[in-house]
Amino acid sequence: MAAQAGTAPEDDTSAVLDELSRNFTYWAPGPGNGSLSSAWYRRNQIHLFGVLLAILGNLVISISLNIQKYSHLHLAQKEHPKPYFKSVLWLSGVLLTAVGETGNFAAYGVAPITLIAPLGCMSVTGSAIISVIFLKENLRASDLLGMTLAFAGTYLLVNFAPNITQAISARTVQYYFVGWQFLVYVILEILVFCILLYFHKRKGMKHIVVLLTLVALLASLTVISVKAVSGMITLSVTGKMQLTYAIFYIMLVIMIASCVFQVKFLNQATELYTMTTVVPVNHVFFTTSAIIAGIIFYQEFLGAAFLTVFIYLFGCFLSFLGVFLVTRNREKEHLQQSFVDFGNIPGKQMLDKVQPDSNGLSYGTLPDGGDSTRGQCGEKKES
């Protein structure tokens, strides 16, 4: 009995390693394995399904954001607008957001993190296209260039992402969760997070890099837990029940908690800075953090060739640059428009701008009593 008890942990360890070896499938280069070949499609069917889910999910999110934006504009035109959360149009946009996020959640369960996370650029480019069609916004040359770069980067990402298929079971997650790579990574992440949180709370440091770094550190835990939860649910649906393991609920709690605090810090960033600044920086930080998490926790680049990694990173760079070009100076164009336009009112003639010049020193300021008195005296002298 003692001998059996002593060998039980060794048997469990060997069983986990055997399961990991079965879960990992490496594809060596061979004839017909080039990009877009029939062998390439057969080899990457499950990954392409995850890519399709992620792209469709991000496009649905783009539609939902534009619907919510249109509902705010529609309510602003009414004389007595009702609260936006009572608008059917706004609620339908929120529902579409939930549908899109569900698609992303399912994509993480069937494809690597390093393949799904960078596809968030499709949400930004898709939103730019939809806003041009439905909200009649201007299509700029930088938008076209940014979309082209984002699509080119996505093509490289899909073709040169890690060629690895891994079934995420509870025993696999447990094995990775206590691995030294993840333990070192999470200790360093907690230290950096606590240092940044100290400067943010105690020193009042609200720089965008500090806020979005906090978001990115939480996002790394989010994508790890999302893939674990989604993978275990997917495996349970296929007949191998994983929901009875404690690690499933541990990952579920980590996923919910990290999402809540991630949204908190992201909202603070959007309150202090414009969306044209927050969106590209957050996309770069989030994607980088997710890729690092996938490499360390799930070892998704294990055995990858240097050229494959280089082209993959170049695809990430193109998508980052595309997002930056699409979001660049978009809000400044709206500020250049006149605040009120009397040109379409019969019998009225617009003689000058109603809104002060945004480049002037007096824009957005209220003159004091002395200035108003001097202004009135000056008007009397002129008259």
Side-chain angles (χ1 to χ4, degrees), residues 180-380:
W180 69 268
Q181 300 95 332
F182 176 68
L183 292 179
V184 172
Y185 171 72
V186 76
I187 289 173
L188 292 176
E189 187 174 85
I190 290 173
L191 288 176
V192 175
F193 184 86
C194 291
I195 292 172
L196 292 177
L197 190 62
Y198 170 78
F199 282 104
H200 174 62
K201 294 293 186 181
R202 297 294 183 181
K203 302 297 182 179
M205 188 177 295
K206 300 183 182 298
H207 195 275
I208 187 172
V209 174
V210 174
L211 291 172
L212 295 185
T213 301
L214 291 171
V215 173
L217 293 174
L218 291 169
S220 65
L221 297 178
T222 302
V223 295
I224 289 174
S225 56
V226 164
K227 183 171 179 62
V229 172
S230 179
M232 285 187 276
I233 291 176
T234 303
L235 209 58
S236 299
V237 171
T238 58
K240 299 178 180 179
M241 180 54 64
Q242 305 292 316
L243 307 185
T244 57
Y245 291 87
I247 191 65
F248 172 80
Y249 299 97
I250 293 174
M251 285 297 185
L252 184 62
V253 171
I254 293 175
M255 181 184 72
I256 295 174
S258 60
C259 284
V260 170
F261 287 102
Q262 185 179 336
V263 171
K264 176 184 176 181
F265 290 114
L266 188 59
N267 284 336
Q268 292 182 12
T270 55
E271 289 175 359
L272 296 173
Y273 300 93
T274 62
M275 292 301 294
T276 56
T277 305
V278 173
V279 169
V281 177
N282 182 61
H283 175 70
V284 172
F285 282 22
F286 171 85
T287 305
T288 304
S289 177
I291 291 172
I292 294 174
I295 292 173
I296 293 177
F297 190 86
Y298 293 103
Q299 303 177 16
E300 292 181 351
F301 270 105
L302 186 64
F306 173 78
L307 182 60
T308 300
V309 176
F310 175 79
I311 298 178
Y312 171 83
L313 295 177
F314 183 68
C316 291
F317 171 75
L318 289 181
S319 66
F320 294 162
L321 186 59
V323 170
F324 172 77
L325 290 175
V326 170
T327 57
R328 184 177 64 94
N329 296 332
R330 183 167 291 275
E331 290 187 358
K332 291 182 179 180
E333 291 188 352
H334 295 290
L335 292 176
Q336 292 176 359
Q337 299 175 1
S338 299
F339 185 72
V340 179
D341 187 4
F342 290 104
N344 296 326
I345 301 179
K348 297 287 184 180
Q349 183 179 4
M350 186 176 67
L351 300 177
D352 200 356
K353 288 183 178 179
V354 176
Q355 184 179 354
D357 187 6
S358 59
N359 296 322
L361 297 177
S362 61
Y363 178 75
T365 60
L366 188 64
D368 54 12
D371 291 339
S372 61
T373 304
R374 287 193 297 269
Q376 291 175 359
C377 293
E379 289 178 0
K380 290 181 180 179

Side-chain angles (χ1 to χ4, degrees), residues 54-91:
I55 291 177
L56 291 178
N58 285 311
L59 290 179
V60 170
I61 292 174
S62 302
I63 296 173
S64 68
L65 293 176
N66 281 275
I67 289 176
Q68 294 177 57
K69 182 177 180 180
Y70 177 79
S71 67
H72 285 295
L73 295 175
H74 182 69
L75 291 174
Q77 294 176 355
K78 293 185 177 181
E79 185 177 358
H80 300 289
K82 59 182 179 179
Y84 65 90
F85 53 83
K86 293 184 179 180
S87 171
V88 177
L89 194 62
W90 185 83
L91 291 175

Side-chain angles (χ1 to χ4, degrees), residues 5 11 20 22 24 38 50 77 82 123 145 149-150 159 172 302 322 329 335 339 356 373:
D11 294 339
L20 287 175
R22 290 194 301 270
F24 280 91
S38 58
Q77 294 176 355
K82 59 182 179 179
S123 176
L145 179 59
L149 292 177
N159 279 273
T172 303
L302 186 64
N329 296 332
L335 292 176
F339 185 72
T373 304

